[in-house]
Amino acid sequence: MEPLQLFELMIAMLLAIIALHYAARRLGLPPAVALLTGGVLLAFLPGLPVIELNPELVLVIFLPPLLMDGAWFIALGHLKRHMIGILSLAVGAVVFTTAVVAVVTHALFPALPWAACAALGAIVSPPDAISARAVLQRVKLPRRLSILLEGESLLNDAAGLVLFRFAIAAGLTGAFSASEAIGGFLLLAIGGLAVGAAVGAAWVLLVRRLGDDYLMIASSILVPWAAYLLAETLHVSGVLATVAAGLICGWYQHVIWTASVRMRGGAFWTVMIFLMEASVFMLIGSSLRGVIDRVGGVDVVLVQMAVPVLLILLALTAARFAWMYGSDAIIALVRMLGVRRYTQIGARGSTVVAWAGMRGVVTLAVALSVPQDFPGRDLMLVTAFAVILGTVLIQGTTLGWLIRKLAPPASADDHCRLTLNQAEASIARAQVALLETRAYDGDGNLIHPRLLDSYQRRASITDRYVVEAAEMRSGLIAHFDMVLELVAVGRAELIRLHRAGEIDEETLHELERDLDLEELSAHAQKS
């Protein structure tokens, strides 16, 4: 493909992303479903070139920033509290699902070597971080279930990739050692975490010295790729390195970034992640034609592979349900024996988590990386694509309905010690306490009367709101609705002054920024 054609294709894809996102919102569909479907349709439009994905390039471009974004914003306290449950899903469920898929595949294709069956299981077993993010952003889950799924999506790719590498090595060499596999996994994991921690710490030290908003934001863009590429160069887990770096950066950004950097950087990252997530699903859909051509055409897929692939997909889904229900049953048994440290998530919660296992770009990229002469490669490609289509299109469209229908209950640890209103009241009291010590000069004269009165009134109102939220809510909404109307009037007058030539561009931008901040604050207080 010529460079100009590639650029034109990228522009066309961007236009398609905007159109499909808009259509999905109007139709009430998850955007991932619309984008994947749109990509499939584009794949078969006459005149368009066949999309050939380079698996290594796809993973390097898309996976690090999307993992970084998830790690940056995850609730670290909840992540640590539920780490055992997350590891159960990210490692235990992946290993169990890989084994189930391998057994089913070998039963369907007895001539296929066990190593190839295991490789297929490793390809399709880990749910995808990108697919999970795309769907979970549109649903409301209890905190514990949300953390379990977010944490799983950050860590399970490492387990799946390690299993895949050992299965491929066993298939090519004919040798496999369980002790070597476990030792190799631990080395990859510990090494990846160490590299990520080093990159994250280096970023924190660097940002403290940059002193420029745009340099700080630009440096944050480099972190995910720096962690991932350095770890892969050292032959340790790039996935875990990126996650570790993201956790460190997300933890320290609150104290090393200024408010302006957070606003500008947050806006930039939001748009970048939106485009990358959307592009991933478009590329997955667009690559269907190339996958079908690789395995011999539609007839080969429908006649020789459709039924076995469907059975593998059903086994994959059943394995995840079995793991979830089995894990919950073990916790119930442990509690009956007197160990109360662990709590169940219940049948409804287990059902939701089991149904939320969507696959995506990692599954396809890993399938494409299977060596050309490896046994069962065509089956792996078709199965990988079928699993992505099946989980995203079926589970992605029904997950919201399932959550509303089952309404999984919140657990006790879903609730923090302080509510949002109580935290606001605590902040207001701290501000008043400082101001009361600074509002008077050395002779006892009040030098900040208006400031002291304003903050005292704010503290009084927030204290009242903690106990009278329901009664004060309507008045609060009316207040900020009025603020928003005043901001709109002020903005209209500002534009009029600029269009009439009475103020210059610099004044326009300065005053517009003030109005924007006031509007954002009003929306935040109202919500």
Side-chain angles (χ1 to χ4, degrees), residues 224-509:
W225 284 293
Y228 187 89
L229 292 172
L230 178 59
E232 291 295 317
T233 301
L234 297 175
H235 303 292
V236 294
S237 175
V239 171
L240 292 181
T242 307
V243 171
L247 291 174
I248 291 173
C249 295
W251 179 262
Y252 281 99
Q253 59 97 5
H254 301 289
V255 294
I256 62 176
W257 270 11
T258 62
S260 63
V261 172
R262 266 192 298 278
M263 288 188 65
R264 292 168 175 168
F268 172 82
W269 268 96
T270 299
V271 174
M272 186 181 79
I273 295 301
F274 161 75
L275 291 175
M276 297 193 84
E277 283 182 347
S279 299
V280 163
F281 288 106
M282 287 290 293
L283 288 172
I284 290 174
S286 301
S287 64
L288 174 60
R289 183 176 162 190
V291 170
I292 291 177
D293 290 344
R294 284 169 185 257
V295 300
V298 177
D299 291 341
V300 173
V301 173
L302 294 178
V303 175
Q304 299 181 16
M305 300 183 184
V307 173
V309 166
L310 177 60
L311 293 175
I312 292 171
L313 175 58
L314 293 174
L316 179 76
T317 306
R320 186 168 173 88
F321 273 90
W323 182 266
M324 289 305 306
Y325 290 140
S327 300
D328 224 37
I330 291 173
I331 293 175
L333 179 61
V334 168
R335 288 178 64 84
M336 288 175 60
L337 296 175
V339 179
R340 301 288 177 178
R341 180 181 176 184
Y342 306 108
T343 57
Q344 300 163 261
I345 62 175
R348 288 180 288 172
S350 296
T351 301
V352 168
V353 174
W355 194 243
M358 282 73 67
R359 274 67 174 179
V361 67
V362 174
T363 293
L364 183 59
V366 173
L368 289 169
S369 70
V370 175
Q372 290 286 346
D373 57 348
F374 198 80
R377 185 177 188 273
D378 289 350
L379 174 66
M380 295 177 192
L381 286 173
V382 174
T383 303
F385 211 101
V387 166
I388 295 168
L389 286 176
T391 55
V392 173
L393 296 182
I394 298 174
Q395 294 173 212
T397 54
T398 57
L399 181 60
W401 171 85
L402 184 68
I403 292 171
R404 290 190 296 272
K405 193 74 174 177
L406 296 180
S411 59
D413 59 2
D414 281 347
H415 307 291
C416 298
R417 288 183 294 174
L418 293 181
T419 65
L420 173 65
N421 296 335
Q422 290 170 331
E424 285 182 339
S426 180
I427 291 171
R429 287 193 294 270
Q431 291 172 327
V432 169
L434 173 65
L435 190 54
E436 286 175 344
T437 65
R438 304 284 183 86
Y440 299 88
D441 62 16
D443 298 327
N445 299 314
L446 184 60
I447 56 175
H448 297 299
R450 294 178 62 185
L451 200 59
L452 181 61
D453 179 64
S454 173
Y455 273 81
Q456 285 177 335
R457 282 191 292 107
R458 183 185 299 179
S460 175
I461 291 171
T462 52
D463 281 332
R464 279 184 55 208
Y465 194 76
V466 170
V467 295
E468 302 176 18
E471 295 83 354
M472 297 178 64
R473 180 66 180 163
S474 59
L476 186 72
I477 292 175
H479 170 82
F480 286 109
D481 280 340
M482 189 71 250
V483 171
L484 292 172
E485 288 186 41
L486 293 171
V487 169
V489 169
R491 183 174 285 111
E493 175 63 12
L494 178 64
I495 297 299
R496 187 194 69 78
L497 293 172
H498 176 259
R499 299 295 186 263
E502 297 182 36
I503 59 174
D504 58 16
E505 293 286 337
E506 185 176 351
T507 302
L508 169 68
H509 290 307

Side-chain angles (χ1 to χ4, degrees), residues 150-183:
E150 290 177 25
E152 177 197 19
S153 70
L154 291 176
L155 302 177
N156 60 10
D157 286 334
L161 290 171
V162 169
L163 288 173
F164 171 75
R165 289 172 182 171
F166 279 107
I168 294 295
L172 294 175
T173 63
F176 175 76
S177 169
S179 60
E180 270 189 39
I182 295 173

